[in-house]
Amino acid sequence: MAKLEFDDEGSRLVEEFNASAGAIERRARIQQALALKPGNRVLDIGSGPGHQAFDLSVAVGPAGRIDGVDPAESAIEIGRRRCSGLSNTRFHSGDSSNLPFDDESFDAVMSSQVFEYLDDVPGGLAEAFRVLKPGGRVLIHDTDWGALLWNSSDAPRMDLIMKSFEGHLADAHLPHTLGPKLRDAGFVDVSAKPVVHIETSYDPSSVSAILMKFVVGYVVSQGISQGEADAWASDLRELGATDHYFFSSNEYIFTAAKSAA
Ligand SMILES: C[S@@+](CC[C@H](N)C(=O)[O-])C[C@H]1O[C@@H](n2cnc3c(N)ncnc32)[C@H](O)[C@@H]1O
């Protein structure tokens, strides 16, 4: 199955998603877990449209610096535009498997909703380890798509759509194995915290409503008919109209350190 393409339309949808209240709260949780200090140098792997870089730039101040790296030119362009007024952010074209930075460059390396798309997670973690200074911290945030709950009046159709949508990722259950993978890469002090996102009413600007657009676009590209995908989305909106809407997702923020010794 083909992975989701972060072309112009994909990057635009991530931008819309990042403006939702749920995404803003999640960025605040990531920032809290990173506990940055003024002057820190931070790398955001898969920086997308640059919302995280924008938020983190305040925490590191003018003496610090945020570098974003992403292979999608459209994402880089949106990120540069978003942060054009900031003197301490930079965006680079590049890939997690071959980061364009020297060894031991960063105080912290973070990545949000990116490692679940990678074919080579150990390679990406090895690169994160390489570019971190001794004593530096890594933060990886991903969803476990097996823990997604979405009320539907047609359970078989929901299963069909979500099974197809899982193909947009390399590993829809990465949090299951991320702890051992971090340790195998050499990291210590590995820990994980959940971010549970719940919606009990339908709001067209919410995380789940924007996710619906990703789902419809992707599953149709994988052979599900437009009519079937639209009927799935209409059903969810109709449940919202009768006060029967329920969406819940489990995301995990993993943190770990590169030993100072
Ligand atoms: C779901 S978006 C998340 C973007 C951003 N982290 C955010 O939270 O707004 C996934 C991003 O990962 C990027 N990506 C995909 N494969 C990558 C790789 N091998 N190395 C670095 N970034 C990658 C995509 O281009 C896209 O911008």
Side-chain angles (χ1 to χ4, degrees), residues 15-39:
E15 193 176 29
E16 186 183 345
F17 184 89
N18 281 353
S20 67
I24 291 168
E25 188 192 330
R26 159 211 285 180
R27 287 201 297 281
R29 295 280 298 274
I30 289 172
Q31 185 158 350
Q32 195 181 21
L34 278 171
L36 298 175
K37 296 190 182 71

Side-chain angles (χ1 to χ4, degrees), residues 78-116:
I78 298 172
R80 284 190 181 137
R81 216 167 36 235
R82 165 156 292 97
C83 297
S84 61
L86 304 174
S87 61
N88 62 351
T89 60
R90 305 273 187 286
F91 292 91
H92 314 260
S93 182
D95 193 282
S96 54
S97 60
N98 187 17
L99 293 171
F101 304 101
D102 292 338
D103 295 358
E104 304 186 359
S105 296
F106 296 96
D107 299 289
V109 173
M110 61 138 304
S111 190
S112 174
Q113 308 271 69
V114 175
F115 271 68
E116 59 195 6

Side-chain angles (χ1 to χ4, degrees), residues 34-171:
L34 278 171
L36 298 175
K37 296 190 182 71
N40 276 173
R41 199 161 164 211
V42 183
L43 174 63
D44 181 0
I45 302 177
S47 45
H51 294 77
Q52 195 80 56
F54 188 95
D55 294 354
L56 297 180
S57 72
V58 178
V60 300
R65 186 163 132 182
I66 312 294
D67 287 282
V69 64
D70 202 294
E73 281 310 321
S74 50
I76 299 273
E77 206 179 293
I78 298 172
R80 284 190 181 137
R81 216 167 36 235
R82 165 156 292 97
C83 297
S84 61
L86 304 174
S87 61
N88 62 351
T89 60
R90 305 273 187 286
F91 292 91
H92 314 260
S93 182
D95 193 282
S96 54
S97 60
N98 187 17
L99 293 171
F101 304 101
D102 292 338
D103 295 358
E104 304 186 359
S105 296
F106 296 96
D107 299 289
V109 173
M110 61 138 304
S111 190
S112 174
Q113 308 271 69
V114 175
F115 271 68
E116 59 195 6
Y117 291 96
L118 302 184
D119 291 324
D120 183 11
V121 170
L125 293 177
E127 276 293 272
F129 190 86
R130 178 183 69 74
V131 300
L132 262 183
K133 295 177 187 171
R137 286 152 297 124
V138 68
L139 180 152
I140 310 284
H141 161 246
D142 280 298
T143 299
D144 193 316
W145 294 85
L148 189 89
L149 307 175
W150 217 340
N151 188 28
S152 157
S153 62
D154 187 336
R157 182 171 60 201
M158 175 60 90
D159 287 348
L160 176 80
I161 298 280
M162 293 319 289
K163 196 94 239 108
S164 168
F165 188 58
E166 280 197 2
H168 87 287
L169 300 148
D171 185 351

